[in-house]
Amino acid sequence: MAGVGGRASPGLKRWLSSQGLAPRVCVVGSGPAGFYTAQHILKHHDLARVDIYEKLPVPFGLVRFGVAPDHPEVKNVINTFTHTARSDRCAYYGNVAVGRDVTVGELRQAYHAVVLSYGAEDNRILGIPGENLSGVYSARAFVGWYNGLPENRDLKPDLSCETALILGHGNVALDVARILLSPVDLLRKTDITDSSLAALACSKVKRVWLVGRRGPLQVAFTIKELREMINLPGTRPILDPADFTGLGNAVKDAPRPRKRLTELMIKTALEKPGEKMVAAAPREWGLRFQRSPQEVLATADGMRARGIRMALTRLQGLGDSAKAVPTGEVEELECGLVLSSIGYRSLPLDPAVPFDSQHGVIPNSSGRVEGVPGLYCSGWVKRGPTGVIITTMNDSFDTAQSVLEDLQAGVLDVSASRDGFGTVGSILRSRGVRPVSFSDWEKIDAAEVTRGKAAGKPREKIVDPEEMLQLIGH
């Protein structure tokens, strides 16, 4: 189907047009996976029309709600996604919850292909006693709170303690630690929400421990995030040189990124801070290794977290596949705030879609959902909640390629015309659901930027969906 430079040749395009064979594709979810899937299909098929459905009124998923407010450069992909959404063969329908407002079965009737790209909307639980005490939060909810995710806007985390403990050694754990310890003046210039900025300005937290079950060679964060944490103004890192003894040989044979990361941790552990620097650093953070949470300990009244009991572990095996095994020894650490950053988790969307609840993914082969022709998935719901935006991009292109191949091979019958949003729009109207268009979103966007300007910020996010809908006259 593709001619020179990936475009369909004019003759073929006319033939396709005369047959009216324009494939209608539906993408569920408007985060990076959804937009990259749409982008690839539109780029490599000159007739395809793609409709993107999103349960929130606002698009961009984790780019808007997951990326730390002090990392604005990571959000630049929004420009690419906006370009895709403005294509005359692409439409955005926000405020539509697939599985509730319209079923996957109804979407499959209306489109030739349906791609599920709705991400990971939940977090993995610790599964330990005391997890539900006041003062214990998932990192996902905490990130959602400071980034303006509507469902987390009322979190009101208690920041009245001096010591916080984050379970997990990934980039999200470092993001949370950095936001907790950042000077408020640095955050004031970001798009962090107004209410979380006010709460952080009154925070008493001055010490953050990041605890992991495995060792320094298994941390999942990257060197850029670690360096940023080490250089955070007004804070000092506490790394125990004893944690890094005997790693010499293992580091020598490690891949370059792992090697550089470990060398930076060792260098930081061995540095002797000068007296002046310690005095000038009212806040501190540190890494604790080979500790697995056993129980969140409660205050005397049984209501709040006061600490955590951890099993000390030893490692079996080498490198990334090393397993943490309890040694039988335990240790207690005092803290009034516990944030669990052990991973996100996808949830089943609709009974009609197969779901592997053990791994939290839709069973698939190159994005083709097993046993359901014409149904596809991309992003975290396809492969699990790992990787950065570039990983999701490649993964989404892979799924989009499967859709294009199936169109070309005739696996998807385009001769049967499908009405796309024509059909879905009627269903939504009958259920009293009013979708939000991309130009509606652009009005919300403009209002946020205007409000931000008044406060010297790039934007002031609106966190209440009702307010968003009122703004656009819904």
Side-chain angles (χ1 to χ4, degrees):
M1 182 165 68
V4 180
R7 310 284 300 169
S9 63
L12 180 58
K13 192 159 70 174
R14 269 204 307 279
W15 180 81
L16 283 169
S17 305
S18 70
Q19 299 291 307
L21 302 179
R24 307 294 299 250
V25 180
C26 155
V27 171
V28 178
S30 71
F35 265 107
Y36 280 128
T37 303
Q39 179 189 319
H40 194 82
I41 290 170
L42 292 166
K43 182 180 175 184
H44 295 287
H45 194 300
D46 280 5
L47 291 173
R49 301 182 68 89
V50 182
D51 291 344
I52 299 173
Y53 290 88
E54 166 59 55
K55 72 172 185 173
L56 290 170
V58 294
F60 311 132
L62 271 190
V63 181
R64 178 177 166 101
F65 297 118
V67 173
D70 56 351
H71 283 177
E73 71 289 348
V74 183
K75 300 182 192 190
N76 289 341
V77 291
I78 284 177
N79 301 332
T80 314
F81 299 162
T82 298
H83 182 72
T84 298
R86 285 178 178 158
S87 154
D88 55 6
R89 291 185 290 122
C90 185
Y92 167 82
Y93 300 103
N95 199 36
V96 177
V98 173
R100 185 190 70 203
D101 298 335
V102 58
T103 67
V104 171
E106 287 166 336
L107 292 177
R108 292 183 65 218
Q109 294 281 301
Y111 292 90
H112 296 106
V114 173
V115 187
L116 302 174
S117 309
Y118 61 87
E121 300 181 288
D122 200 9
N123 51 276
R124 287 172 55 197
I125 61 164
L126 291 164
I128 59 172
E131 186 167 11
N132 299 321
L133 287 169
S134 173
V136 183
Y137 308 92
S138 74
R140 182 190 177 280
F142 191 76
V143 169
W145 167 70
Y146 64 64
N147 271 335
L149 183 61
E151 69 188 68
N152 302 128
R153 68 185 188 272
D154 298 323
L155 191 71
K156 296 187 175 55
D158 185 345
L159 306 176
S160 64
C161 61
E162 288 196 355
T163 304
L165 186 139
I166 301 171
L167 295 163
H169 276 170
N171 279 342
V172 173
L174 279 188
D175 277 348
V176 169
R178 202 177 62 255
I179 296 297
L180 278 171
L181 295 177
S182 280
V184 175
D185 286 348
L186 287 185
L187 297 177
R188 241 181 216 116
K189 302 177 184 73
T190 72
D191 68 359
I192 192 167
T193 63
D194 201 29
S195 58
S196 53
L197 187 64
L200 287 161
C202 303
S203 168
K204 299 276 189 290
V205 176
K206 59 181 189 184
R207 186 179 307 105
V208 177
W209 293 110
L210 295 112
V211 178
R213 286 177 308 141
R214 301 193 295 166
L217 290 175
Q218 287 81 31
V219 295
F221 47 72
T222 46
I223 193 161
K224 176 184 173 287
E225 276 69 19
L226 177 65
R227 193 176 286 121
E228 205 175 354
M229 196 71 211
I230 291 167
N231 296 327
L232 190 65
T235 64
R236 66 185 185 105
I238 307 168
L239 274 69
D240 184 350
D243 286 330
F244 301 91
T245 49
L247 290 187
N249 286 340
V251 173
K252 217 166 52 222
D253 303 329
R256 188 166 177 268
R258 171 70 65 192
K259 187 176 175 196
R260 288 176 60 226
L261 180 65
T262 312
E263 283 169 350
L264 178 58
M265 286 191 280
I266 293 171
K267 177 175 173 279
T268 308
L270 296 175
E271 265 173 9
K272 293 278 176 280
E275 292 299 314
K276 205 164 79 197
M277 186 181 148
V278 176
R283 296 177 297 278
E284 58 189 27
W285 65 276
L287 298 173
R288 292 282 183 96
F289 300 101
Q290 291 181 236
R291 284 159 170 80
S292 179
Q294 278 193 329
E295 181 180 359
V296 180
L297 306 169
T299 47
D301 61 5
M303 301 299 285
R304 294 189 38 75
R306 66 164 176 87
I308 194 157
R309 180 180 298 122
M310 293 176 291
L312 303 189
T313 65
R314 59 185 170 80
L315 295 186
Q316 274 183 353
L318 297 168
D320 290 345
S321 58
K323 294 259 184 294
V325 183
T327 61
E329 284 184 73
V330 295
E331 158 185 292
E332 290 186 5
L333 206 80
E334 224 175 287
C335 56
L337 176 65
V338 177
L339 292 148
S340 148
S341 182
I342 57 168
Y344 288 39
R345 199 170 65 107
S346 293
L347 298 171
L349 183 72
D350 187 303
V353 181
F355 192 78
D356 174 349
S357 48
Q358 192 191 340
H359 298 103
V361 293
I362 295 171
N364 70 90
S365 165
S366 291
R368 297 177 177 92
V369 176
E370 283 175 16
V372 194
L375 189 62
Y376 303 81
C377 57
S378 69
W380 283 4
V381 76
K382 168 187 172 185
R383 67 169 199 281
T386 55
V388 290
I389 289 175
I390 192 96
T391 330
T392 296
M393 180 184 82
N394 292 327
D395 166 84
S396 304
F397 288 175
D398 169 63
T399 292
Q401 205 53 43
S402 294
V403 175
L404 294 169
E405 284 166 14
D406 290 354
L407 282 168
Q408 199 168 3
V411 175
L412 299 173
D413 180 11
V414 189
S415 65
S417 120
R418 298 286 166 94
D419 202 19
F421 185 73
T423 304
V424 175
S426 308
I427 293 170
L428 294 175
R429 270 194 303 280
S430 74
R431 291 173 189 163
V433 179
R434 293 181 67 184
V436 167
S437 68
F438 200 76
S439 57
D440 287 334
W441 147 246
E442 291 184 313
K443 288 177 198 156
I444 297 169
D445 180 40
E448 290 187 342
V449 171
T450 304
R451 291 179 188 192
K453 212 169 253 163
K457 300 167 70 175
R459 73 172 59 236
E460 185 57 65
K461 287 179 186 168
I462 297 168
V463 297
D464 181 358
E466 285 307 314
E467 191 185 338
M468 294 173 188
L469 296 175
Q470 276 168 5
L471 192 86
I472 54 176
H474 261 47

